[in-house]
Amino acid sequence: MTAASIAKDLRAAIRSGTYKPGDRLPSEAALMSNYGVARMTARHGLSMLKDEGLTVTRHGSGVFVRAFEPIVRDTTGAAVGDSTVTAETDETGAGLTVRTLAVTAEADPPEKVRTTLGLADGAKVTVRERLHLRERKPVLFATSYLPASIAAGTPIADQEVGPGGTHARLTEAGHAPVRFREDVVGRMPTIEEIEELRIEPGTPVLSVTRTAFTQDGTPVEVSYVVLDAGEFMLRYDIGG
Amino acid sequence: MTAASIAKDLRAAIRSGTYKPGDRLPSEAALMSNYGVARMTARHGLSMLKDEGLTVTRHGSGVFVRAFEPIVRDTTGAAVGDSTVTAETDETGAGLTVRTLAVTAEADPPEKVRTTLGLADGAKVTVRERLHLRERKPVLFATSYLPASIAAGTPIADQEVGPGGTHARLTEAGHAPVRFREDVVGRMPTIEEIEELRIEPGTPVLSVTRTAFTQDGTPVEVSYVVLDAGEFMLRYDIGG
DNA sequence: GAGTGGTCTAGACCACAAT
DNA sequence: TTGTGGTCTAGACCACTCC
């Protein structure tokens, strides 16, 4: 019962404000003597808080109370900042930087993508991979798939899509996306995501599958977006 | 490095399908002899998988690969099933049961609620607390606040709100909600949420703050919804 | 160098599950 | 009763941070 009770005490202290975001918690050695327990027990108590996302540990330095100052991502997929911003721009109002990692003009789609886009066997897709950074820390990773029959040969298949992003290019090509579906799940990150987004232990990710449709209901883009849940709030405005 | 490598091996085996959802992983004793490590090391390797949400442990029985068969919750807040369903009904198409835990006709609002609803100091709110269950397992907890000036004296302040739920009653009272905002964050559950929703270790929650507005932009309801992320997918259809 | 967290060992006792 | 996971002890060595 002791590891759990250490966690309970510290949790209560954090909630009550005894320890504020950024503050250092007692060291393992301190907990050992305060509670008269073995080191592994003190450690286990602290690790519970880490698993709950309440704390972050810094090797050689200490255990600190975590803060949450989310980036608000609105319905359009843009981060909400000072002014209206669009996705795919270099700098959003929320201090986000977008880095285009890779663009492939023609690739074989994963089966899931092929069926979502309603493509024939053997049809190719254009793939865009992007990483969003907040003050140099990666916070969002997105992979978009578009039918190569639409995207190849347009700026969508280039490293730089130009002003307005892929949606502007799609519109110019007569495939204006007007309807979107976002499916959101929360889960713990994979090892790859932990490395890619440098995710703190105890932090889940939000996994968003976004599909864009034209007026006649044809899907023109499917995107898989993984967001560090410690950095984001998703905002959906419905109706009006 | 051994605990991590045990986790790595098992993770790879799960991903490759060697162990399928529901399968039992090797016991701690088996891992000890297979890898020639101490028990705590084998345990640590297994606990990593648990923290990643890949496995569930059953005391006295074993460690099992986890499944994910999400309930789809659509934009209206209803679970998507066989037919069109509405929130607040007893049985939704997805086999969800709604239990109304408590209804308070007049209560003092938390400060956050008071400002969101734009209430004067001292104004009261009607509070509704509901729990959704999937085959007896609680999966969603919701607390709704409405201005008592609107809700008190109507069926909204009763245990049973009647057909169509609170929104139908609000509409009848001339406060039809037509616009909604949902703010979604992912995080690890609190201890209370773990108990209330019986959440598996390594499972985050989705925390949704839902605000309903009338035609003239007046907020008429704010709801705080906590969903077991191991059970739900949120679906947002935008535009059209 | 002193203090911090990260990992591992070898053993103990307890609680729960299946039989 | 046997095998499983849950918890704890007491000690070791390592890696990182800060002074």
Side-chain angles (χ1 to χ4, degrees):
Chain A
M1 259 297 290
T2 9
S5 61
I6 291 174
K8 188 177 164 189
D9 289 352
L10 293 175
R11 195 183 297 116
I14 291 170
R15 262 194 227 177
S16 73
T18 307
Y19 300 109
K20 297 186 177 52
D23 285 359
R24 217 198 72 179
L25 261 51
S27 70
E28 295 173 357
L31 293 174
M32 285 168 72
S33 64
N34 290 353
Y35 286 87
V37 294
R39 182 159 173 234
M40 285 306 290
T41 307
R43 259 185 89 65
H44 190 204
L46 287 170
S47 85
M48 290 182 190
L49 301 180
K50 180 162 66 173
D51 291 344
E52 291 165 20
L54 283 176
T55 58
V56 293
T57 58
R58 288 207 275 276
H59 192 173
S61 175
V63 178
F64 300 84
V65 180
R66 184 169 193 170
F68 179 49
E69 292 157 12
I71 303 163
V72 179
R73 173 186 176 276
D74 73 9
T75 307
T76 69
V80 175
D82 309 324
S83 56
T84 307
V85 291
T86 49
E88 295 275 350
T89 55
D90 277 346
E91 278 286 338
T92 72
L96 282 186
T97 311
V98 181
R99 182 187 298 165
T100 302
L101 298 180
V103 182
T104 311
E106 300 216 337
D108 290 315
E111 181 58 21
K112 198 171 51 169
V113 169
R114 202 183 63 77
T115 57
T116 303
L117 291 178
L119 298 178
D121 244 18
K124 302 286 184 179
V125 289
T126 298
V127 188
R128 299 186 54 84
E129 293 182 80
R130 306 182 304 289
L131 189 65
H132 293 227
L133 303 103
R134 174 195 215 181
E135 287 156 18
R136 285 189 217 81
K137 186 203 171 294
V139 292
L140 179 156
F141 181 75
T143 307
S144 297
Y145 298 89
L146 302 95
S149 58
I150 294 176
T154 78
I156 294 172
D158 297 341
Q159 188 79 9
E160 298 293 332
V161 279
T166 52
H167 290 182
R169 298 297 88 69
L170 282 172
T171 302
E172 290 161 8
H175 300 280
V178 295
R179 198 168 69 71
F180 304 89
R181 165 167 288 180
E182 295 207 351
D183 283 332
V184 181
V185 302
R187 57 172 172 76
M188 296 314 283
T190 64
I191 296 296
E192 292 79 14
E193 289 162 351
I194 288 172
E195 289 167 0
E196 208 150 32
L197 298 178
R198 299 214 304 268
I199 288 179
E200 299 283 355
T203 308
V205 293
L206 294 169
S207 169
V208 180
T209 303
R210 180 182 171 96
T211 313
F213 302 89
T214 59
Q215 189 61 53
D216 63 8
T218 310
V220 287
E221 182 185 33
V222 54
S223 305
Y224 298 95
V225 186
V226 178
L227 309 90
D228 181 341
E231 302 280 355
F232 279 96
M233 168 186 281
L234 306 184
R235 169 162 292 174
Y236 294 98
D237 284 307
I238 303 151
Chain B
M1 261 297 292
T2 7
S5 61
I6 291 174
K8 187 177 164 190
D9 289 352
L10 293 175
R11 194 184 296 116
I14 290 170
R15 264 194 224 178
S16 73
T18 307
Y19 299 109
K20 298 188 177 51
D23 285 359
R24 217 198 74 178
L25 262 51
S27 69
E28 294 174 356
L31 293 173
M32 286 169 71
S33 64
N34 290 353
Y35 286 87
V37 294
R39 183 159 171 233
M40 286 303 291
T41 307
R43 258 185 90 64
H44 190 204
L46 287 169
S47 85
M48 291 181 188
L49 302 180
K50 181 162 65 174
D51 291 344
E52 292 165 20
L54 282 177
T55 59
V56 293
T57 59
R58 289 207 273 276
H59 191 175
S61 175
V63 178
F64 299 84
V65 180
R66 187 170 190 165
F68 179 48
E69 292 157 11
I71 303 163
V72 179
R73 173 186 176 274
D74 74 10
T75 308
T76 69
V80 175
D82 308 325
S83 56
T84 308
V85 290
T86 49
E88 296 275 351
T89 55
D90 278 346
E91 278 285 338
T92 73
L96 282 185
T97 310
V98 182
R99 183 185 299 165
T100 301
L101 297 180
V103 181
T104 312
E106 300 216 337
D108 290 316
E111 182 58 21
K112 197 170 54 168
V113 169
R114 201 183 63 77
T115 57
T116 303
L117 291 178
L119 298 178
D121 243 17
K124 302 286 185 179
V125 288
T126 299
V127 188
R128 301 185 55 85
E129 294 182 79
R130 303 182 305 289
L131 189 66
H132 292 227
L133 302 104
R134 175 195 214 181
E135 287 157 19
R136 286 187 216 80
K137 184 200 171 297
V139 292
L140 179 157
F141 181 74
T143 307
S144 298
Y145 298 88
L146 302 95
S149 58
I150 292 176
T154 79
I156 294 171
D158 297 340
Q159 189 79 9
E160 297 294 332
V161 279
T166 52
H167 290 182
R169 298 297 87 72
L170 282 171
T171 302
E172 290 162 8
H175 301 280
V178 296
R179 199 167 68 72
F180 304 89
R181 165 166 288 179
E182 296 207 350
D183 283 331
V184 181
V185 302
R187 58 172 173 76
M188 296 314 283
T190 64
I191 296 296
E192 293 78 13
E193 289 162 351
I194 288 172
E195 290 167 359
E196 207 151 32
L197 297 178
R198 300 216 303 269
I199 289 179
E200 298 284 354
T203 308
V205 293
L206 294 170
S207 169
V208 180
T209 303
R210 179 181 172 96
T211 313
F213 302 89
T214 59
Q215 189 61 51
D216 64 7
T218 310
V220 286
E221 181 184 32
V222 54
S223 305
Y224 298 94
V225 186
V226 177
L227 309 90
D228 181 342
E231 301 281 355
F232 279 96
M233 167 185 282
L234 306 184
R235 169 162 292 175
Y236 294 98
D237 284 308
I238 303 151

